Amino acid sequence: MTDDASGRRPSIRDVARLSGVSHQTVSRVLNNHPSIRPETRDRVLAVMAELQYSPNRAARALVTSRSQTIGILAGSSSQYGPASSIAAIEAAARARGYWVSTANIEPGDPQSIPDGLSHLMAQSIEGLVVIAPQVRVFRAIAAQRLDIPYVTLQSTDLDPGHTLSVDQIAGARLATRHLISLGHREIYHLAGPQDWIEAEARMTGFLDEMSAADIPTTAPILGDWTAEFGYYAGRELLRVRDFTAIFSSNDQMALGLMHAIRDEGLDVPRDISIVGFDDIPEAAHFWPPLTTVRQDFAELGRRCVDVLLGAEEGAPSPAGNALVPELIVRASAAARVHA
């Protein structure tokens, strides 16, 4: 709403004038100061509602000395997992009255990491989330002396006290165990890139579950997360076809695998079973619908904001407690048919 006389947006002084109080009093109302009498607060809030007044963010930061901003340092934010994490944190922060500022970094460029941190610190952020998949990023973060609460969304042994993540190893074990329970023994793993923390964890989970079932394994195939790689990997694997199931480290590569299998005139899951990871929105509409591992990004975002704001308020941190993912069973994996 604009002021009818001048065409400008209403200011804190307009609220003060119509409320019959000083602009300092309006500022105290905005910041829930305990010295404000209830009748004064109600009168000021009523005028703010009438004028449709919302405080300027920069001005409010000057008054309170708080930016109410959470920073996100993100690498590979175009991938489904990091993008979903950012969206979840933004939603949870808004619900708590905070803004979010994201600095995207290039993990292959060491200088982009301190540059990204400097960009966020210049905004007086009150907490930091690190969403970066590569170990080298965490080494750079560990070398920084951060004086604000921060949390990392990948589980590494470089900074375990600040980690809040989804248990990727447990998720991979769920996927592998499901295939084993269906009678499969010749199971391949199409892994993610070697330098990604999640890819390494999912590979570990696959190998741990196969070992626990005393099933011999072949070396995992290192992919690049794309459906195109899944397609060409599938074409190469089908030249030998010494497997009955594949656990793919993400859903996009699983889609490429399914395409390759169909191009060979084979059927999923009658001939080959496939399980993915992430439960991207399209996974339920693959043909056949994809069995996959779901991560609760909304809950991850809520917990992340709780950790940061709780640390600011001196509350015990739940960082280090990993969320357990869920296996979503659909039609792409079936019991092994013995010849």
Side-chain angles (χ1 to χ4, degrees):
M1 179 177 178
T2 59
D3 184 289
D4 291 337
S6 64
R8 62 177 175 79
R9 296 183 63 83
S11 70
I12 191 172
R13 294 186 183 276
D14 295 323
V15 175
R17 175 171 52 81
L18 293 177
S19 302
V21 298
S22 68
H23 70 273
Q24 292 93 340
T25 298
V26 176
S27 177
R28 292 189 187 99
V29 170
L30 287 170
N31 294 290
N32 295 314
H33 198 282
S35 67
I36 298 297
R37 291 180 297 178
E39 56 270 25
T40 302
R41 177 179 288 105
D42 291 344
R43 186 166 72 253
V44 170
L45 291 176
V47 170
M48 288 172 60
E50 180 183 348
L51 295 179
Q52 297 181 25
Y53 168 77
S54 59
N56 177 274
R57 178 183 175 187
R60 184 168 184 176
L62 287 173
V63 171
T64 63
S65 299
R66 297 183 62 182
S67 67
Q68 287 191 275
T69 302
I70 291 172
I72 299 178
L73 190 69
S76 303
S77 59
S78 62
Q79 295 290 337
Y80 177 75
S84 299
S85 297
I86 291 170
I89 292 164
E90 288 176 341
R94 281 197 303 271
R96 299 284 293 271
Y98 277 69
W99 291 272
V100 170
S101 177
T102 301
N104 288 293
I105 61 172
E106 175 48 58
D109 176 11
Q111 187 56 42
S112 74
I113 302 167
D115 286 351
L117 281 172
S118 296
H119 173 75
L120 293 172
M121 291 300 186
Q123 300 173 55
S124 301
I125 59 172
E126 297 181 30
L128 174 69
V129 186
V130 181
I131 307 175
Q134 288 87 359
V135 172
R136 59 179 173 270
V137 176
F138 283 84
R139 291 199 178 101
I141 295 296
Q144 303 289 323
R145 295 184 176 179
L146 299 176
D147 59 357
I148 58 171
Y150 72 96
V151 63
T152 67
L153 294 197
Q154 276 76 29
S155 180
T156 77
D157 57 3
L158 296 175
D159 203 356
H162 291 273
T163 296
L164 181 63
S165 62
V166 176
D167 192 332
Q168 306 291 322
I169 293 177
R173 295 195 70 156
L174 281 173
T176 308
R177 189 180 308 143
H178 180 63
L179 290 171
I180 293 171
S181 73
L182 293 171
H184 296 280
R185 295 297 179 269
E186 296 79 26
I187 305 171
Y188 273 40
H189 177 45
L190 181 53
Q194 188 172 20
D195 60 342
W196 278 60
I197 294 168
E198 291 98 334
E200 180 68 26
R202 294 171 194 177
M203 186 189 307
T204 297
F206 166 76
L207 294 172
D208 286 352
E209 192 63 29
M210 293 289 280
S211 176
D214 198 24
I215 299 174
T217 60
T218 56
I221 302 153
L222 300 182
D224 66 0
W225 299 131
T226 67
E228 183 177 13
F229 185 92
Y231 177 79
Y232 286 106
R235 294 296 297 267
E236 290 299 314
L237 289 172
L238 289 168
R239 294 177 187 274
V240 179
R241 198 182 162 188
D242 55 350
F243 58 93
T244 63
I246 302 177
F247 164 44
S248 172
S249 194
N250 79 332
D251 292 346
Q252 286 93 340
M253 290 193 296
L255 176 62
L257 286 169
M258 294 165 76
H259 182 188
I261 292 166
R262 289 194 176 280
D263 270 5
E264 288 295 311
L266 301 173
D267 182 78
V268 177
R270 186 184 64 233
D271 298 307
I272 298 169
S273 288
I274 303 289
V275 174
F277 203 110
D278 279 336
D279 194 28
I280 63 175
E282 299 81 5
H285 304 286
F286 289 2
W287 188 253
L290 183 66
T291 293
T292 185
V293 177
R294 175 182 295 166
Q295 306 181 70
D296 190 343
F297 289 110
E299 178 63 17
L300 186 65
R302 284 191 293 271
R303 291 196 188 186
C304 183
V305 172
D306 285 345
V307 167
L308 293 178
L309 301 190
E312 187 176 280
E313 296 161 3
S317 173
N321 299 329
L323 279 68
V324 178
E326 176 187 7
L327 181 70
I328 306 300
V329 178
R330 298 193 180 104
S332 67
R336 179 186 179 187
V337 177
H338 295 272

